[in-house]
């Protein structure tokens, strides 16, 4: 867990959130997790090493990190202690609306690179959006915030996604056909399902693999266990409801399949990072 001298702050508006982290002790050995939003991150200082979809990536100052919804990754477990980065989380619907002008209505685009370097303009745009959102008079500058957000999102998707070239391979694409079939199966399930009712035999059967090979291949290809994947999907569903519903936290926790409020609170930080 991050030390107290790693300074963190959240800012944002409808459909997006900005997370700024800076200071010492930036190593965050978070367990594998994913988000329901697109992630666009500007690395401003420090060196980070994170696993993304089972592969190790290194990020240095000036790099931009791009992740698709439900793309499994870890925290900075092996990088430098002093870090400074700004992460933009963009709701899928908002992203589609912002990029429609660039390519017209189509299936949701996905990023085709995890790490891009030397993109000074994009880093500056993310920093400018952060400075604008966190300013004291941000509530009165809604149009400026929307324009700055659209600039960042349009730039990222136009240059580093399959928005204009649908055949370009997404970094979230699972090359292992049998494991991809299981991931699609899990995503099709009711997110409120209790993970303990989903048997390993059932998933291995969908994959047409033995239980041993299925577990090993799933963890290697996806970056987390099947049970953890399903639990994180449930957390994403609950997070969406927290943002859009007036239901109580307890009602949302129970509706997402958690036994009680404390068990939900204990898991919810996994959706950030």
């Amino acid at each position: 867990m991050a030390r107290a001298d790693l300074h963190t702050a959240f800012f944002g508006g409808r459909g997006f959130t900005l997370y700024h982290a800076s200071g010492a002790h930036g190593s965050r050995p978070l367990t594998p997790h994913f988000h329901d939003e697109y992630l666009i991150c500007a690395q401003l200082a420090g060196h980070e090493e994170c696993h993304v979809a089972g592969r190790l990536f290194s990020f240095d100052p000036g790099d931009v990190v791009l992740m698709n919804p439900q793309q499994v990754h870890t925290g900075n477990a092996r990088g430098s202690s002093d870090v400074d980065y700004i992460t933009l989380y963009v709701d899928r619907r908002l992203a589609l609306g912002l990029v429609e002008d660039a390519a017209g209505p189509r299936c949701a685009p996905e990023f085709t690179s995890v790490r891009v370097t030397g993109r000074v303009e994009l880093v500056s745009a993310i920093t400018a959006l952060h400075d604008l959102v966190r300013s004291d008079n941000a509530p009165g500058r809604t149009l400026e915030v929307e324009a700055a957000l659209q600039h960042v999102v349009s730039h990222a998707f136009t240059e580093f996604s399959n928005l204009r070239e649908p055949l370009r391979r997404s970094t979230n694409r699972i090359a292992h056909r049998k494991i991809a079939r299981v991931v699609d199966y899990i995503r099709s399930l009711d997110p409120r399902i209790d993970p303990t009712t989903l048997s390993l035999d059932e998933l291995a059967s969908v994959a047409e693999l033995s239980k041993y090979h299925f577990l090993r291949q799933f963890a290697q290809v996806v970056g987390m266990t099947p049970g953890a994947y399903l639990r994180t999907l449930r957390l994403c569903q609950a997070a969406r409801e927290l943002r859009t519903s007036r239901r109580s936290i307890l009602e949302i926790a129970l509706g997402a399949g958690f036994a009680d409020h404390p068990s939900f609170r204990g898991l919810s930080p996994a959706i950030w990072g």
Side-chain angles (χ1 to χ4, degrees):
M1 186 60 68
R3 290 274 297 275
D5 45 357
L6 176 68
H7 305 292
T8 62
F10 286 95
F11 308 93
R14 181 179 298 178
F16 76 97
T17 302
L18 280 162
Y19 172 69
H20 183 207
S22 64
H25 301 288
S27 292
R28 305 188 68 194
L30 298 176
T31 56
H33 62 285
F34 57 79
H35 309 274
D36 209 32
E37 303 85 11
Y38 291 100
L39 184 156
I40 305 170
C41 176
Q43 188 78 19
L44 304 179
H47 170 76
E48 295 197 64
E49 294 187 10
C50 308
H51 282 89
V52 181
R55 294 178 53 200
L56 182 65
F57 286 84
S58 297
F59 307 117
D60 296 301
D63 288 349
V64 175
V65 184
L66 304 163
M67 293 190 201
N68 295 298
Q70 299 179 7
Q71 187 157 23
V72 178
H73 59 282
T74 63
N76 174 30
R78 299 171 54 183
S80 62
S81 60
D82 293 326
V83 297
D84 188 356
Y85 59 87
I86 300 171
T87 302
L88 170 64
Y89 299 91
V90 186
D91 180 82
R92 283 188 260 192
R93 289 185 181 180
L94 176 65
L96 285 175
L98 292 177
V99 300
E100 268 192 3
D101 291 339
R106 60 172 58 198
C107 294
E110 294 206 319
F111 291 124
T112 54
S113 299
V114 171
R115 171 181 175 262
V116 294
T117 63
R119 301 292 174 164
V120 177
E121 181 184 349
L122 183 54
V123 173
S124 297
I126 295 170
T127 304
L129 172 62
H130 169 261
D131 293 343
L132 184 61
V133 171
R134 67 172 299 196
S135 65
D136 293 337
N137 58 346
R141 304 173 70 181
T142 303
L143 293 179
E144 292 178 63
V145 171
E146 290 180 355
L149 176 64
Q150 181 162 9
H151 178 56
V152 172
V153 173
S154 297
H155 187 152
F157 278 97
T158 300
E159 299 235 357
F160 309 114
S161 82
N162 53 16
L163 176 68
R164 292 179 170 172
E165 299 178 59
L167 295 182
R168 289 180 64 190
R169 180 172 175 173
S170 163
T171 57
N172 207 23
R173 180 176 177 270
I174 298 175
H176 194 301
R177 179 175 54 84
K178 294 184 175 182
I179 299 302
R181 186 192 308 154
V182 176
V183 170
D184 288 340
Y185 176 74
I186 293 176
R187 288 175 178 173
S188 71
L189 296 172
D190 186 332
R192 295 169 296 182
I193 189 173
D194 183 345
T196 62
T197 65
L198 190 63
S199 72
L200 180 57
D201 286 322
E202 180 181 352
L203 295 180
S205 175
V206 173
E208 299 178 348
L209 294 170
S210 69
K211 288 190 290 185
Y212 170 77
H213 283 96
F214 165 67
L215 275 176
R216 184 168 59 86
Q217 290 295 320
F218 192 99
Q220 179 180 335
V221 172
V222 177
M224 65 198 317
T225 66
Y229 192 89
L230 180 56
R231 285 192 297 273
T232 307
L233 281 177
R234 293 161 67 210
L235 282 170
C236 286
Q237 181 212 12
R240 285 195 299 272
E241 287 206 54
L242 285 172
R243 292 192 296 268
T244 60
S245 171
R246 293 186 178 183
R247 299 168 65 200
S248 69
I249 294 178
L250 177 59
E251 287 178 307
I252 292 173
L254 295 176
F258 292 93
D260 51 32
H261 180 192
S263 63
F264 173 65
R265 276 188 74 186
L267 288 170
S268 56
I271 64 173
W272 305 109

